[in-house]
Amino acid sequence: MQVSRERLLGFLFPAETDNWLTILRLGLGLQTTLYSLSLRSDWNYLLGGAGRGVSSRNLAEALLSLESHLVPRLGWFVTLGGRVGLHEEAVLSVAWICLLAAGCGLLVGIACRFSAILAWFLHLCAAKSGGFVSYGVDNFMTIGLFYLMLSPLPDRYSLDWRLRKARPRNPQLLGFWHRVLQLHLCVIYFFSGFTKCLGGGWWDGSNVWRALIRPPFNIIDPEILIRWRYLFPVAGIFICLLEIGYPFFIWNDRTRKIWLICICGMHIAIGVTMGMYLFALIMIILNVAAFGPGLVFGRAKQIFVRRQAAHA
């Protein structure tokens, strides 16, 4: 029992550097910034109240209240702003500015903890209030920002570390939160692949065809898709096997690099062929942060050592 306990603790709390945290902070800072800028002109239109937006925020929040009144939403800020004489447009604009500022703060590493919490909370509010127009990218951004705000910030490459001399209070949790992120991705990909395998649409390629012709993701000319229709079954089977094999091959040192490259390549293909660029970016960020630090920083370290040896 003692040996099993030590092995479990060693697995859940491995000795880790903050390289993965640096990748996660920079990636989520970039993701949040691009997410905010992409909605700059449509923020109020998408998240406006009844009669002011493309879909009523009031209706989305009313449906949300059926689940729980405690789920964060932009309506809280609109109500508070109304009590001090601020119009809805002004409150929503301030929320957008704060989300953009939080993303920039993460990107440069200033007030990392506060920026992570602010980005997570505001993005969650926007995603829940805009439930009719949100999709997978919002869910994975929420997941990534949640892990980031709980991790021992700041990392050594942030301005907080260099200028303010700030240090994480619980650096021993670096390995724990890294492991939780890794396990979470394994669960997501395994059950995603398992669900795909249960139906026939991915084996015969019909689901790939439907995904590529469904508006607003149909950015490729249908004539081109028809010419390449013979590759759809191959692509569907490859995606199923790649996802369901993720938790089995991503841990092995010999297959990790191959699986990570294939997963990132799959998301790049989704982004390019369907226009889901932010979705592709967030998935690449999470995967590289979870399983790529040893490959990214390890390679850089090898190059540095070789150069030092050559100069010597």
Side-chain angles (χ1 to χ4, degrees):
M1 290 295 294
Q2 182 65 23
V3 175
S4 300
R5 181 174 179 273
E6 291 178 356
R7 289 180 178 178
L8 178 61
L9 291 176
F11 177 77
L12 293 177
F13 295 89
E16 285 280 358
T17 66
D18 60 359
N19 292 336
W20 73 273
L21 188 57
T22 299
I23 296 174
L24 189 64
R25 175 184 59 80
L26 290 173
L28 288 175
L30 177 63
Q31 176 79 19
T32 304
T33 301
L34 294 177
Y35 175 87
S36 302
L37 292 176
S38 69
L39 295 176
R40 178 175 59 87
S41 58
D42 299 318
W43 180 265
N44 287 8
Y45 181 62
L46 293 173
L47 300 173
R52 298 182 181 179
V54 65
S55 61
S56 173
R57 189 195 72 249
N58 295 341
L59 177 58
E61 292 181 352
L63 294 175
L64 190 62
S65 296
L66 297 177
E67 301 178 12
S68 174
H69 291 282
L70 300 178
V71 179
R73 63 202 70 185
L74 291 175
W76 291 353
F77 300 104
V78 173
T79 301
L80 291 175
R83 293 181 179 178
V84 296
L86 292 177
H87 295 291
E88 180 186 62
E89 293 81 359
V91 175
L92 292 177
S93 296
V94 171
W96 178 84
I97 292 172
C98 291
L99 182 60
L100 177 63
C104 294
L106 290 175
L107 197 56
V108 299
I110 295 178
C112 294
R113 178 77 61 191
F114 176 76
S115 296
I117 295 173
L118 182 63
W120 172 79
F121 187 74
L122 289 178
H123 175 265
L124 182 60
C125 288
K128 293 302 180 180
S129 294
F132 294 124
V133 292
S134 62
Y135 67 109
V137 65
D138 296 294
N139 296 330
F140 286 105
M141 279 186 66
T142 300
I143 291 172
L145 290 169
F146 179 78
Y147 286 133
L148 181 64
M149 75 175 187
L150 294 179
S151 298
L153 293 166
D155 58 272
R156 73 182 73 180
Y157 298 100
S158 65
L159 289 182
D160 281 344
W161 183 290
R162 296 175 181 271
L163 300 181
R164 296 173 53 196
K165 306 300 181 182
R167 297 295 183 269
R169 295 182 179 180
N170 300 297
Q172 68 276 10
L173 293 178
L174 275 170
F176 174 75
W177 288 113
H178 189 202
R179 187 69 81 211
V180 172
L181 176 61
Q182 291 175 326
L183 293 173
H184 197 161
L185 286 178
C186 287
V187 171
I188 289 172
Y189 278 112
F190 176 78
F191 284 101
S192 175
F194 182 73
T195 303
K196 289 181 176 67
C197 290
L198 293 179
W202 290 95
W203 297 102
D204 61 15
S206 59
N207 282 357
V208 178
W209 166 261
R210 294 190 186 98
L212 294 175
I213 64 171
R214 180 180 300 173
F217 309 113
N218 54 335
I219 63 176
I220 300 180
D221 192 323
E223 294 184 0
I224 298 178
L225 295 179
I226 293 174
R227 293 174 186 174
W228 293 92
R229 64 186 182 278
Y230 301 107
L231 293 179
F232 293 163
V234 177
I237 295 173
F238 175 75
I239 291 173
C240 289
L241 297 179
L242 186 63
E243 291 187 347
I244 204 170
Y246 187 93
F248 302 104
F249 293 97
I250 200 68
W251 295 98
N252 191 291
D253 292 336
R254 296 180 179 179
T255 57
R256 179 181 302 138
K257 185 176 181 179
I258 297 174
W259 232 256
L260 185 61
I261 291 174
C262 289
I263 282 290
C264 291
M266 180 188 72
H267 288 298
I268 291 173
I270 292 173
V272 172
T273 59
M274 300 178 65
M276 301 171 65
Y277 307 113
L278 288 177
F279 176 76
L281 179 60
I282 186 61
M283 296 309 299
I284 292 172
I285 290 169
L286 293 178
N287 275 282
V288 174
F291 292 102
L295 301 176
V296 176
F297 287 91
R299 180 61 179 171
K301 184 177 180 180
Q302 290 177 4
I303 294 174
F304 177 77
V305 171
R306 290 175 182 174
R307 288 180 178 177
Q308 290 295 102
H311 287 301

